[in-house]
Amino acid sequence: MTVDHLLGKELGKGAFRADEEPVLRIAPGTGERIGFQTSDAWYAQLHELQALDRVTEQVNPVTGPVYVEGAEPGDTLTVTVHDIVLGEHGWSVYLPAVGALQRRMGGEPMTRRVPLEDGFAQLTETISVPVAPMIGCIGTAPAEGSASTVMPSYAGGGNMDLTDCAPGTTVHLPIEVDGALLSLGDIHAVMARGESSFVAIEAAGTAVVTIDLLKARPLRAPRLETSGEWLFVGLGDPVQESIARGYEDMFDFLVKDHGWSPADAYVVMSAAAHSELGGPTGSEQPDPLHPMRPVGAVTVHRLPKSVLA
């Protein structure tokens, strides 16, 4: 792994904030590679102590922020993921009263150290799956206040837990503050889409990215570009609103950015645009009596690039 700048995991923080002092300043479009080192200390400590109330490490820290020269509100930050280097093991954990399986898993935490070797994650003694490293949490700073690295996801990004946020993907993020203030963390060795347990196979690692800037290209939510698809992120409560907003952004992309007629966009999306749940990290502030219960949902809406050819 070759990088021009390496940001250590000791720079990890528990929120995206506009008042954070940047740890690096960089000009966009230079091709300089930035390595963001991330931590798994929270999971390791929970595994050791087996008690949530004794864990003192920061949960879901993001490394950064990086100040991008010339970035202003109304621009779009493009972050291309080139590589994700994993450590030697990951973690699977169950947190009581968290995730879709809480009624089946009961009231005690569960942790499992998952070896990562030769490109595979050893889930059980007999079952292994290929690793598929991804970035769970990535975003720019909100204009005011702070945005959690756990939930909810917000206009600038956050803990979206999208499996496509992986090497080869370019992530497009709205910018609300001068310099954008990019941070990322929460690397996963592998995660099933939808993230049933609220955690994946979490792992320490280093994500290597380059940064560019699209001037005067406002977005209301993140979107991702892979080799074969555009992915539009929907944020809203209830989930039907999230789905509608994601589809609206795709529709506007076709009509406003590509000059399609509304009728053509409607018909093609009806036939070729697929929708799915992203991570269960919510898209609105959770119920304060149940701070780990997501409200709303992150949704993902997939447009094949082949329709644009």
Side-chain angles (χ1 to χ4, degrees):
M1 178 183 67
T2 301
V3 298
D4 299 290
H5 311 277
L6 181 62
L7 307 181
K9 61 184 179 182
E10 70 277 3
L11 300 172
K13 300 174 178 67
F16 298 87
R17 299 184 60 93
D19 58 2
E20 288 283 359
E21 190 67 26
V23 299
L24 174 69
R25 290 176 176 261
I26 191 167
T30 64
E32 293 177 78
R33 296 198 171 202
I34 308 170
F36 290 76
Q37 191 180 69
T38 68
S39 172
D40 65 350
W42 191 89
Y43 300 97
Q45 192 177 40
L46 178 62
H47 183 69
E48 176 187 357
L49 300 176
Q50 292 296 306
L52 279 167
D53 59 358
R54 296 174 60 194
V55 176
T56 58
E57 294 287 347
Q58 173 65 55
V59 62
N60 232 40
V62 291
T63 301
V66 171
Y67 186 100
V68 181
E69 302 289 350
E72 300 173 302
D75 297 341
T76 290
L77 192 70
T78 64
V79 182
T80 300
V81 184
H82 296 281
D83 196 9
I84 299 176
V85 180
L86 300 171
E88 296 181 352
H89 61 268
W91 303 98
S92 179
V93 307
Y94 165 65
L95 307 177
V98 172
L101 296 174
Q102 57 185 276
R103 293 188 300 224
R104 297 292 186 267
M105 289 295 290
E108 297 298 323
M110 184 280 293
T111 66
R112 178 172 294 179
R113 188 178 185 273
V114 178
L116 305 175
E117 187 174 359
D118 297 328
F120 285 84
Q122 193 71 41
L123 304 179
T124 73
E125 290 185 3
T126 59
I127 299 173
S128 62
V129 297
V131 298
M134 49 165 281
I135 299 167
C137 193
I138 182 171
T140 56
E144 297 180 355
S146 65
S148 170
T149 64
V150 178
M151 69 167 71
S153 299
Y154 63 103
N159 193 26
M160 298 179 289
D161 285 340
L162 304 179
T163 57
D164 292 278
C165 193
T169 294
T170 297
V171 184
H172 296 246
L173 298 169
I175 296 175
E176 296 187 0
V177 299
D178 288 347
L181 297 180
L182 171 72
S183 300
L184 65 84
D186 186 30
I187 285 176
H188 300 167
V190 60
M191 187 191 87
R193 288 177 178 171
E195 200 177 19
S196 62
S197 60
F198 197 81
V199 296
I201 306 302
E202 311 284 337
T206 302
V208 180
V209 309
T210 54
I211 294 173
D212 210 339
L213 188 64
L214 300 176
K215 295 296 294 180
R217 292 280 295 275
L219 299 178
R220 67 174 182 175
R223 61 186 61 168
L224 283 65
E225 181 183 5
T226 71
S227 60
E229 292 180 310
W230 279 96
L231 284 71
F232 299 82
V233 175
L235 301 173
D237 175 33
V239 67
Q240 289 84 357
E241 176 66 13
S242 177
I243 292 169
R245 288 175 65 87
Y247 276 140
E248 286 170 352
D249 286 351
M250 183 188 295
F251 184 91
D252 292 344
F253 174 79
L254 292 172
V255 173
K256 295 180 179 179
D257 296 348
H258 289 270
W260 287 30
S261 72
D264 283 352
Y266 184 90
V267 172
V268 170
M269 286 175 59
S270 297
H274 300 286
S275 179
E276 65 187 40
L277 290 177
T281 51
S283 53
E284 297 290 341
Q285 287 292 344
D287 176 352
L289 297 179
H290 303 91
M292 293 295 285
R293 179 179 295 170
V295 177
V298 178
T299 57
V300 183
H301 309 272
R302 298 174 174 273
L303 180 74
K305 283 184 172 179
S306 58
V307 303
L308 302 173

